[in-house]
Amino acid sequence: MQIGTVILKPGREKSIRNRHPWIFSGAIESVQGSPDAGETVVVRTHDGGVCGRGAFSPCSQIAVRVWTFQPEEEVCGAFFRSRLEKAVAARHSMLKEESRSAARLVYAESDGLPGLIVDRYADYLVCQFLSAGAEYWKHCIRDILWDLIPLKGIYERSDVAVRKKEGLSQTRGLLMGHEPPDLIEIIENNCRFEVDVKHGHKTGFYFDQCDNRRLAAA
């Protein structure tokens, strides 16, 4: 399949060479081909060198979010499976403890998956697709998650304003399996919480406040 190419302006390849995953529109000299929003493009320097491949977003100031810095790595289902397997394996050990039944499994750029958030709440996954690239691969990602973590359901909470900057509408609803109940009971540090993943802020809970809640409980 023919894919588009983004050519950087002279001297604007430094950040991507340093593995920064965002390419702003002002750094781009030209776009070859006619890539749609979310489609994969090859990123080249002004003199023709290949820097990597990323998701094209024509509506955003962040015009490309880099999937891979490896010039020859193909962005496909196998690519996303590998990235998701690594991310889930890195956090799944936390959920084997009886003191915890919820955690963030995928941290977007930190896991090489720009624009994708995946949280687990007991028997449900809640996802946010915040970029054009994540949206483009949504159903592929959904199917891989369902295979990797067979739970009761996968719910989407992409009802956030940042999607407008990507040319995307806000959306929320069931992606796979059974719809979660109005409140999901989770355990964190042996404390029980009821979380509204369907209407609560973001995906329903602030996992980055885990240590603060533990200190407050003590």
Side-chain angles (χ1 to χ4, degrees):
M1 182 181 72
Q2 202 80 16
I3 65 174
T5 301
V6 167
I7 309 295
L8 301 178
K9 293 177 180 177
R12 300 303 293 270
E13 70 278 0
K14 183 177 180 180
S15 63
I16 190 172
R17 294 293 191 198
N18 290 329
R19 293 181 171 261
H20 193 291
W22 294 357
I23 298 174
F24 290 90
S25 57
I28 295 174
E29 182 175 83
S30 64
V31 178
Q32 298 178 353
S34 302
D36 291 330
E39 286 192 341
T40 301
V41 292
V42 174
V43 181
R44 291 185 179 271
T45 62
H46 180 73
D47 58 6
V50 179
C51 300
R53 300 181 181 216
F56 185 60
S57 184
C59 296
S60 175
Q61 288 188 356
I62 306 173
V64 180
R65 295 176 191 256
V66 178
W67 291 124
T68 175
F69 299 96
Q70 304 301 319
E72 302 305 322
E73 186 172 21
E74 185 179 356
V75 179
C76 59
F79 168 87
F80 287 101
R81 176 172 286 274
S82 175
R83 291 286 171 95
L84 289 167
E85 283 177 345
K86 290 177 182 176
V88 170
R91 285 108 199 182
H92 210 255
S93 60
M94 295 187 297
L95 299 173
K96 293 181 180 178
E97 304 170 7
E98 292 185 3
S99 62
R100 188 165 190 171
S101 66
R104 176 152 294 180
L105 300 181
V106 178
Y107 285 81
E109 279 82 353
S110 295
D111 289 309
L113 294 166
L116 177 65
I117 297 293
V118 180
D119 290 341
R120 179 172 176 176
Y121 295 94
D123 293 323
Y124 295 88
L125 295 180
V126 180
C127 304
Q128 286 187 317
F129 301 88
L130 306 178
S131 66
E135 177 71 20
Y136 185 85
W137 289 96
K138 179 194 293 185
H139 293 103
C140 174
I141 291 168
R142 175 203 64 186
D143 292 347
I144 293 168
L145 287 171
W146 188 250
D147 184 53
L148 290 178
I149 316 169
L151 300 173
K152 290 183 179 179
I154 302 176
Y155 196 77
E156 179 178 7
R157 282 297 308 274
S158 298
D159 51 342
V160 288
V162 71
R163 279 174 58 97
K164 185 177 180 180
K165 296 180 179 180
E166 296 283 312
L168 304 171
S169 60
Q170 297 184 32
T171 183
R172 177 182 68 194
L174 185 66
L175 288 178
M176 187 76 84
H178 299 284
E179 186 162 326
D182 291 339
L183 293 173
I184 298 175
E185 183 178 286
I186 65 169
I187 300 172
E188 181 193 78
N189 295 322
N190 289 315
C191 294
R192 292 186 299 152
F193 297 87
E194 288 185 329
V195 181
D196 181 356
V197 302
K198 291 191 286 188
H199 303 100
H201 192 223
K202 296 190 175 180
T203 67
F205 202 62
Y206 288 94
F207 288 116
D208 59 348
Q209 296 300 309
C210 175
D211 290 341
N212 287 336
R213 286 189 289 267
R214 177 176 53 77
L215 292 169

